[in-house]
Amino acid sequence: MALSNTENKSSRNKTLNISVEEGASYFKKCLRPDDSAGPLSLEEIQGKTINGDSFKVLPLLPEHFIDLAIIDPPYNLAKNYAGNKFNSVSRKDYFEYTEKWLSLLLPHLKENASFYICCDWKSSMVIQDVLCKFEDDKKLIIQNRITWQREKGRGARQNWKNAMEDIWFCTLGSDYTFNLDAVKVRRRVIAPYKVDGQPKDWADTEGGKFRDTCPGNFWDDISIPFWSMAENTAHPTQKPEKLLAKLIMASSKPGDFIFDPFLGSGSTSVVAKKLGRKFCGIEQSDLYCTWAEKRLADAEEDKSIQGFKDGVFWERNALNGK
């Protein structure tokens, strides 16, 4: 593995891009079951980054231990994940790929569990078909589809810029956790309304006039990690910590078990740790596992989440432009 470019980075550039060699002490913390490994206990996997192929590791995990799963599978695009290349395939093949990992995941969910699946607009159509099939078989309930604004990306000469992604929200049954008050968004009040001279549903603070609003299924308050943010890594499809915090706070309680079978650079585990949840994730890349463990170590000291402060999710740029 080539060494990182840390020597050439600006002092303000916080992007994590260490090599496996540079982060050897972190990589050693990973759980690495071999091909002959037997079933893994809950005690063995709690708080761990499992370095392996999800399709091989999932059958080794305990049954019914997950309260919330957050899944960010490879989209149906040609993408290089630190040497692990995922090529775009036919709609049929991507359907079968999704059906396979979902079938392996479901036995590990508790009966009142929730799960979220991240995708782009094109893979979303296939994932919807898979979910509908499972729902028809009464294996899950599709609750909603969230669309969030990426706010970042290159334009296209002959098409509209892809600036949105989807997240499918599903549960195993009608009894599930959803903490509405925990994920209300604090927005600036443009036209304050008063009753008998008093603010109605808003507060006048030193920082301005704000209202806590119920979250909808379109999110335009998420900032993609970039070079000057502490959470940023060189992973090509890293999800923002704020986005994951919303999912975790809405659909789990402190002490619940959060699981991510396509962990990437570790964002789900990191946010779960910051929010007082148990966690585990599977990641095939040695490099990304190294980054995940480095970020988990950093979370011991820094539990901040960009855009989330004092127990409130703030709309973008509401915190003094930060």
Side-chain angles (χ1 to χ4, degrees):
M1 181 65 66
L3 292 178
S4 64
N5 297 318
T6 53
E7 301 90 352
N8 302 321
K9 286 169 54 176
S10 161
S11 60
R12 293 181 58 209
N13 189 336
K14 300 178 182 178
T15 303
L16 177 61
N17 194 20
I18 61 173
S19 68
V20 177
E21 290 81 5
E22 291 171 309
S25 62
Y26 298 111
F27 184 61
K28 288 178 181 178
K29 296 180 181 180
C30 297
L31 180 62
R32 306 181 69 193
D34 57 33
D35 293 338
S36 61
L40 298 170
S41 69
L42 193 59
E43 291 73 21
E44 287 178 286
I45 66 172
Q46 168 17 37
K48 291 293 186 179
T49 301
I50 303 177
N51 181 216
D53 183 339
S54 292
F55 291 95
K56 294 180 180 178
V57 174
L58 278 167
L60 305 178
L61 302 184
E63 292 187 348
H64 312 305
F65 75 97
I66 301 169
D67 294 289
L68 170 64
I70 298 177
I71 308 113
D72 188 12
Y75 298 173
N76 195 12
L77 301 167
K79 189 73 70 173
N80 188 334
Y81 297 99
N84 294 322
K85 295 182 179 179
F86 189 96
N87 295 314
S88 57
V89 296
S90 68
R91 183 184 178 94
K92 177 177 179 294
D93 287 346
Y94 195 72
F95 183 100
E96 292 175 352
Y97 170 80
T98 304
E99 185 179 35
K100 182 178 179 181
W101 65 249
L102 184 56
S103 296
L104 290 171
L105 174 69
L106 289 181
H108 305 295
L109 299 175
K110 294 181 180 178
E111 62 180 11
N112 62 344
S114 302
F115 64 93
Y116 293 89
I117 306 175
C118 303
C119 47
D120 69 342
W121 70 270
K122 198 167 187 179
S123 58
S124 183
M125 293 187 289
V126 179
I127 287 172
Q128 179 182 14
D129 288 345
V130 176
L131 292 175
C132 286
K133 176 185 176 182
F134 278 71
E135 187 173 51
D136 289 344
D137 292 338
K138 302 189 183 305
K139 294 180 179 179
L140 57 83
I141 299 173
I142 302 172
Q143 297 289 351
N144 212 326
R145 185 191 68 188
I146 299 162
T147 297
W148 65 284
Q149 185 179 26
R150 282 183 49 85
E151 165 230 3
K152 181 180 177 183
R154 296 179 178 177
R157 289 184 179 275
Q158 294 181 300
N159 204 337
W160 307 103
K161 172 181 169 181
N162 288 330
M164 305 289 183
E165 292 194 10
D166 286 347
I167 304 174
W168 288 95
F169 169 36
C170 303
T171 62
L172 289 199
S174 57
D175 178 22
Y176 59 92
T177 297
F178 195 81
N179 305 308
L180 176 63
D181 288 339
V183 288
K184 286 186 176 179
V185 179
R186 186 155 292 179
R187 297 189 182 278
R188 290 190 180 277
V189 177
I190 306 301
Y193 179 65
K194 295 184 178 181
V195 175
D196 297 328
Q198 299 299 315
K200 179 175 174 57
D201 298 330
W202 58 275
D204 200 352
T205 72
E206 291 183 0
K209 298 175 175 63
F210 291 96
R211 173 185 291 114
D212 291 347
T213 63
C214 291
N217 64 352
F218 171 65
W219 297 354
D220 61 352
D221 63 322
I222 305 292
S223 293
I224 296 293
F226 53 90
W227 62 274
S228 64
M229 291 169 62
E231 71 183 82
N232 192 48
T233 76
H235 192 284
T237 60
Q238 181 184 353
K239 292 295 182 290
E241 290 187 6
K242 183 180 181 182
L243 182 146
L244 296 166
K246 286 191 175 195
L247 304 180
I248 290 171
M249 292 189 70
S251 295
S252 72
K253 303 180 292 294
D256 279 355
F257 205 110
I258 315 301
F259 178 73
D260 186 339
F262 301 98
L263 187 62
S265 61
S267 298
T268 299
S269 291
V270 170
V271 177
K273 181 174 183 174
K274 289 181 177 182
L275 295 176
R277 273 64 169 175
K278 298 175 183 176
F279 60 89
C280 173
I282 306 171
E283 173 52 46
Q284 189 170 8
S285 165
D286 295 0
L287 182 62
Y288 298 158
C289 284
T290 302
W291 295 353
E293 285 297 326
K294 171 66 167 67
R295 295 175 68 195
L296 286 169
D298 290 345
E300 293 285 345
E301 303 297 329
D302 182 6
K303 299 189 182 300
S304 64
I305 296 171
Q306 186 275 336
F308 177 70
K309 186 176 181 182
D310 299 328
V312 174
F313 287 99
W314 295 75
E315 65 180 336
R316 187 184 295 150
N317 301 323
L319 287 169
N320 299 321
K322 296 181 181 178

